[in-house]
Amino acid sequence: MSTMRFLLEHPIRARKVKEAAGSKCELCGKISNTDELEVHTFIDPGEEQEMPAEELECFLLVLCPQCHEDLHELPAGCEVQQMLVGQREDSIKRRIRAILGYIPSPYTPPDSDVEAAYKDACASKFGNLI
Ligand SMILES: [Zn+2]
Ligand SMILES: [Zn+2]
């Protein structure tokens, strides 16, 4: 199965990805109807097989048809698409990853909290030794 297992086979998911990107072209910024926007992907099919679905977020772009065509024509297309993904806002990244099948890891409290909890536990057990 290819990247498009999500995007082409599941039009609703493709639409959600476009909406997550703000329903606009990530290259020229033009706001468009999600039906008009296209999802461009750039990943080696072999690599893709071994990748968790949410990682595909780094290998797709939401583009208007004109920019999509241009990007394919552009000699520096590879660099441009990587730059665009690199500039993507974290909130958008998170949304797209969630759509692509992100399963959140179990909640781990910040280090400081763990330490405080540990100190509390020790203090109650051994007095104020630490
Ligand atoms: Zn565009
Ligand atoms: Zn494309």
Side-chain angles (χ1 to χ4, degrees), residues 86-99:
Q87 287 174 345
R88 184 177 280 148
E89 284 172 37
D90 281 350
S91 59
I92 295 177
K93 276 179 181 284
R94 274 200 299 275
R95 253 177 280 161
I96 295 179
R97 291 170 78 92
I99 293 160

Side-chain angles (χ1 to χ4, degrees), residues 25 28 64 67:
C25 170
C28 69
C64 70
C67 288

